[in-house]
Amino acid sequence: MNRQAADDSTASGRPSPQELSAAEDESLAASHVMALSSPDWRVRRDAVAGLVAQGGVEAVNALLRGLAQHHRDPGTLNAVLQALEAMRADVVDPLAAMLRDSEADLRIYSAHALALTLDLRAIPPLLAALDDPDSNVVYHAIESLGQLKAGDASERLAQFAESRDFSVALTALSSLSSIDEASIAPRLVPLLDDDVLRDAVLETLGVLGDLESVAPMLSRLERGEVSVGVIAKGLASIHDRQLRSGRGGDVPALLTGCLTDAGKRRLIESAPTAAPSDIAALAKVLGWLPGDESIPALMVLLERAPEVPEVVDAIVRKGRGASSFLVTRLRHLQREVRQSALQALGLIGDSDTSSAVREVLADPEVMLQAVVALARIGDASSKRSVQELLGHPEAQVRRVAVSALNSLGSLAPAEVERALSSGNAAVRESATRICGYAGLQEFAEPLLERCGDENDGVRRAAIDAIVLLDDERALAALVRGLADRSSSVRKAAARGLAHLSSAAVCSPLLGAVLDPDPWVRYEVVRSLGIRRALEAREVFLQLAVNDPAIPVRIAAIEGLLTTADSTLEPQLLEWAQSPDPDIAQAAIRGLGRFHSPNALRILLSSIESAHVATRRNAIHALAASGQTGAVDALSRLAAADPERPIRHAALSALAEVPNPQAVSALIAALERPDLRTPAIDALIRLPENRIGELSAGLRHSSVDVRRSVVSALERVSSATAAELLQTATCDPARIVRMAALRAIGRHSLSARLPPLDSTSASGEAG
């Protein structure tokens, strides 16, 4: 019918409906592109949104024409680039053609736009642009290659850095850091003699360097040629890389052996004036220095940045030598300094500091930190001071005190009995918790008595405690607790019944499903679900449909899933389309257990939901279902979802799908620079029996993909990974061969492998 209409239109000279539609789309796209030139940023924003919503060939072509015609207008140019990035259209070929245009400005912005495509096909034209006669084009091509993490470009970028041409060397160093190719690091060390490039080289060595870079960096520190902060961050970065490879102690050892007194003085004297962004790294390096000479500098950093955890860690590394310095900070005017000092004292565990810590127990601003510190120090002489806090009016203080007493030593039975019968309800509550935590069976009788205490808090604590005791009377006490006047006691009783070994707990729980308090009902339903109570199935169904409290309905759906069979699927399909996103998400999670076309249809629809949480739950359900179509759906989501956490979750889920196509999809994701790291993280989670599927990645045409597969194999300890790494040492590209050799060395796999061919890592890059 449509073909006939088109033929009739052609015969009559009238445009066909398809031609009219295309013309309308082209006209609409053109109007949006014109709006991109508006001086009003709101109009430009709406035009970008309109182009993204329209999509299609006409919109893309209009944007490319806009780039060609308006690249001299910064506002229009930025809007065009925003739209191209948001649309994720296939524009590599036309942009590559623009990279050969006679006008330099257009070549510049085409190079910039190619990076936004996140497409490895953009790398060859950008590599060609490195020979452009215009230095600005070369600059932007270098920058774009870094954004694309183009391992193929490492050699050329290293040459630009070695040229010492300021106009391109700095951006080349930055791009090398992004590409993260460690084999380039030794070539950068000689550039430390360049006054202009030195700081940038040090930053790059911090990213790429290994232990061989430490001594040259320290020599520049001693000469005073570079800021202490740059050196500290570089050393800390190398140390972190060593940690990730399982060899984290080498940098501190090298520092001890190579650092001269002059270098040490520079590090110590920089503490008062270090930039805030340098403090974490400086503290880490100061903590590595042997002896106590750096402790005063660390105290300066503590007072300047008490919230930085690396400062506390470095002080703790100094051990008892730092104790006296920390004690003097317990009276500091700044609360955060006192809190961090107490944290450090607790971690050091010097019993000689117990009395000083006890003295600040009266300070309400640091009381909790002081109790925790005393517990960690473990000095029994502090038990009395902590015990006095059992009656403190604040519940949090009492709970911390109870926990601390478990570390400082148990109370004598007579002390427990006195506390359980105290006229102070707070003391009785604390004593009740002590009995429960310690599992003191001899206090079962008084604990059961406290279940009838006049104070709600004491009764709740007693209910919590008797669950931990092996006493047959606990069931009756918990059942009575379900009828308590206090909703908090009823919640505790409902929660506790799930963990008793008796088979008789379900009946009283079923009798409490209509409790007037929604949170009591929630705990009742959860406990029935934990018990996998088949007799609760009808109750779950009724509550899931009729309960006015959403949390109860969700718990009921989850309870149903513990008793699920195929008859539940129709109901889950209905709930999955509920207008309430919480209900829908609970049902979607359950649909992952079913393998029907209807379940797959709902899950595929749910990954398009406007709710991020719904998409996330659909991702996990798709992975659990393992159905045909799950891999394609997860791959599309990983490539195109506007939310980065969702893209990463989709990649992670692919590793859970027991299908070779899922591994192929993860290998394909390695082509995208923005997906490479989460794809590697997903690949290393593959079970041992699937590691062999990564061999396909080592045969990929892209050097960057093969190098990324090697990076994943480096983090997998298995014989299969070792064999694949051995294969990679024969890769045609030197960058892949060197990465494989490093991986083998770092994991000590070479002992399990046959001797390497001495020529396998030689030759030119492929």
Side-chain angles (χ1 to χ4, degrees):
M1 188 75 173
N2 290 338
R3 182 180 299 174
Q4 181 64 47
D7 291 343
D8 291 345
S9 297
T10 302
S12 64
R14 299 191 308 272
S16 68
Q18 291 84 353
E19 290 172 331
L20 287 171
S21 176
E24 289 173 0
D25 288 344
E26 186 174 351
S27 175
L28 178 61
S31 67
H32 284 318
V33 172
M34 287 181 62
L36 294 177
S37 302
S38 171
D40 188 335
W41 67 269
R42 298 175 186 82
V43 175
R44 296 199 302 271
R45 178 196 60 192
D46 293 343
V48 169
L51 284 163
V52 173
Q54 179 183 351
V57 175
E58 289 78 12
V60 172
N61 288 339
L63 280 169
L64 292 172
R65 287 194 298 272
L67 179 62
Q69 296 167 7
H70 303 290
H71 59 270
R72 294 180 182 277
D73 178 2
T76 305
L77 175 66
N78 287 333
V80 168
L81 294 176
Q82 284 178 24
L84 284 172
E85 182 177 18
M87 292 173 74
R88 294 194 180 278
D90 186 358
V91 293
V92 172
D93 289 341
L95 287 174
M98 290 182 184
L99 202 53
R100 298 188 296 272
D101 192 88
S102 59
E103 188 173 350
D105 284 350
L106 182 56
R107 300 201 302 276
I108 288 171
Y109 296 117
S110 298
H112 179 67
L114 279 168
L116 301 180
T117 67
L118 299 175
D119 192 324
L120 293 187
R121 292 178 301 152
I123 293 175
L126 286 168
L127 283 170
L130 295 179
D131 296 318
D132 194 282
D134 189 291
S135 61
N136 287 322
V137 176
V138 174
Y139 176 93
H140 283 85
I142 292 172
E143 190 174 54
S144 292
L145 287 165
Q147 291 174 29
L148 291 171
K149 301 183 186 298
D152 290 358
S154 296
E155 175 66 26
R156 291 293 309 277
L157 297 184
Q159 292 172 6
F160 279 111
E162 290 169 329
S163 73
R164 304 188 183 222
D165 180 349
F166 179 76
S167 65
V168 291
L170 286 175
T171 191
L173 289 167
S174 176
S175 290
L176 284 168
S177 296
S178 299
I179 294 170
D180 194 13
E181 176 43 50
S183 65
I184 299 296
R187 295 174 57 177
L188 304 182
V189 171
L191 300 180
L192 289 172
D193 294 329
D194 190 299
D195 294 339
V196 176
L197 298 179
R198 186 178 295 118
D199 281 6
V201 172
L202 285 167
E203 291 177 6
T204 306
L205 285 175
V207 176
L208 306 181
D210 55 16
L211 297 179
E212 294 180 2
S213 304
V214 172
M217 294 171 72
L218 291 177
S219 69
R220 270 65 185 183
L221 172 70
E222 293 155 7
R223 297 178 200 168
E225 295 175 343
V226 69
S227 72
V228 172
V230 172
I231 292 288
K233 287 198 283 192
L235 293 172
S237 178
I238 293 173
H239 175 68
D240 291 342
R241 285 168 62 91
Q242 294 293 111
L243 274 180
R244 290 193 294 271
S245 65
R247 297 165 62 187
D250 294 323
V251 175
L254 276 175
L255 188 72
T256 301
C258 299
L259 190 64
T260 64
D261 290 342
K264 186 186 299 185
R265 277 196 306 274
R266 284 206 70 203
L267 286 168
I268 291 172
E269 292 171 359
S270 69
T273 57
S277 59
D278 296 338
I279 285 178
L282 178 60
K284 185 177 289 189
V285 175
L286 287 172
W288 296 336
L289 297 180
D292 296 343
E293 190 178 350
S294 63
I295 293 177
L298 285 169
M299 293 300 130
V300 171
L301 295 182
L302 179 71
E303 294 178 350
R304 292 187 59 200
E307 74 286 353
V308 175
E310 288 84 356
V311 175
V312 173
D313 292 343
I315 293 171
V316 172
R317 187 182 177 97
K318 291 298 180 181
R320 292 191 170 208
S323 295
S324 61
F325 292 90
L326 289 167
V327 166
T328 63
R329 268 69 186 176
L330 295 182
R331 299 296 180 185
H332 197 277
L333 293 177
Q334 190 177 348
R335 178 188 62 186
E336 290 78 11
V337 173
R338 303 199 301 278
Q339 290 175 335
S340 293
L342 285 166
Q343 181 187 359
L345 284 169
L347 292 170
I348 291 171
D350 183 355
S351 60
D352 291 341
T353 63
S354 296
S355 59
V357 175
R358 290 196 296 269
E359 290 177 5
V360 299
L361 280 174
D363 182 348
E365 291 188 331
V366 298
M367 180 183 294
L368 290 175
Q369 289 79 10
V371 175
V372 171
L374 289 172
R376 286 173 169 165
I377 293 170
D379 183 359
S381 65
S382 300
K383 186 168 72 172
R384 179 62 58 191
S385 298
V386 174
Q387 188 176 344
E388 292 173 358
L389 298 175
L390 295 180
H392 195 278
E394 293 186 19
Q396 186 179 13
V397 174
R398 298 198 300 273
R399 287 178 181 269
V400 173
V402 168
S403 178
L405 285 172
N406 288 330
S407 300
L408 295 171
S410 302
L411 297 181
E415 292 178 304
V416 176
E417 289 180 1
R418 283 197 300 272
L420 284 171
S421 58
S422 170
N424 184 330
V427 173
R428 296 200 304 277
E429 177 189 339
S430 296
T432 301
R433 295 193 183 281
I434 288 173
C435 292
Y437 292 159
L440 299 178
Q441 194 65 34
E442 64 266 34
F443 292 108
E445 192 67 41
L447 278 178
L448 289 166
E449 291 178 6
R450 296 280 71 78
C451 289
D453 195 280
E454 63 184 20
N455 181 268
D456 294 351
V458 177
R459 293 200 306 281
R460 182 179 66 250
I463 290 291
D464 288 335
I466 60 173
V467 175
L468 304 174
L469 300 179
D470 183 17
D471 194 291
E472 59 185 14
R473 293 170 292 177
L475 175 60
L478 289 175
V479 170
R480 288 194 299 273
L482 284 176
D484 195 275
R485 66 177 183 271
S486 167
S487 62
S488 65
V489 175
R490 299 200 301 277
K491 282 191 293 184
R495 188 167 52 244
L497 281 167
H499 304 290
L500 292 186
S501 58
S502 172
V505 301
C506 291
S507 179
L509 284 170
L510 286 169
V513 294
L514 298 180
D515 191 283
D517 188 286
W519 290 110
V520 175
R521 297 199 303 277
Y522 172 79
E523 294 292 353
V524 167
V525 173
R526 283 192 74 244
S527 291
L528 286 168
I530 291 170
R531 301 294 298 214
R532 298 179 180 272
L534 293 174
E535 60 267 44
R537 185 179 172 86
E538 288 303 317
V539 171
F540 286 149
L541 277 169
Q542 293 174 13
L543 292 174
V545 174
N546 299 318
D547 198 281
I550 294 297
V552 177
R553 294 176 64 189
I554 293 172
I557 293 173
E558 293 172 345
L560 275 171
L561 294 174
T562 66
T563 63
D565 57 33
S566 58
T567 63
L568 180 61
E569 183 183 357
Q571 187 64 72
L572 288 175
L573 291 170
E574 178 184 336
W575 287 332
Q577 300 176 76
S578 168
D580 188 296
D582 293 322
I583 297 296
Q585 289 159 31
I588 286 167
R589 289 194 294 272
L591 285 174
R593 302 179 181 214
F594 299 92
H595 307 286
S596 70
N598 286 333
L600 180 61
R601 175 178 56 80
I602 292 296
L603 293 178
L604 292 178
S605 171
S606 298
I607 64 173
E608 306 294 338
S609 169
H611 293 280
V612 172
T614 299
R615 300 205 298 280
R616 187 183 294 276
N617 281 292
I619 286 169
H620 294 304
L622 274 171
S625 74
Q627 292 200 64
T628 302
V631 172
D632 289 342
L634 292 171
S635 298
R636 288 196 304 272
L637 208 61
D641 195 274
E643 300 288 339
R644 178 185 296 179
I646 293 296
R647 298 197 297 272
H648 292 189
L651 290 169
S652 179
L654 279 168
E656 301 170 14
V657 180
N659 186 326
Q661 293 178 353
V663 174
S664 298
L666 286 170
I667 291 172
L670 296 173
E671 298 181 33
R672 284 266 301 269
D674 60 324
L675 299 181
R676 198 167 291 156
T677 297
I680 291 173
D681 291 340
L683 287 171
I684 65 176
R685 292 175 44 243
L686 291 171
E688 163 67 22
N689 62 355
R690 298 188 63 193
I691 296 300
E693 296 174 33
L694 292 179
S695 62
L698 294 177
R699 298 189 298 272
H700 198 279
S701 60
S702 167
V703 171
D704 289 305
V705 170
R706 301 200 301 275
R707 186 168 66 110
S708 298
V709 172
V710 168
S711 178
L713 291 169
E714 179 182 351
R715 296 162 63 183
V716 176
S717 298
S718 76
T720 304
E723 293 170 4
L724 292 177
L725 286 171
Q726 169 74 359
T727 300
T729 61
C730 299
D731 192 277
R734 183 177 184 276
I735 192 173
V736 178
R737 297 196 299 271
M738 297 306 297
L741 287 169
R742 285 195 307 273
I744 291 172
R746 287 176 179 173
H747 283 258
S748 300
L749 295 173
S750 55
R752 289 185 277 165
L753 298 171
L756 292 175
D757 182 347
S758 61
T759 63
S760 63
S762 63
E764 296 301 317

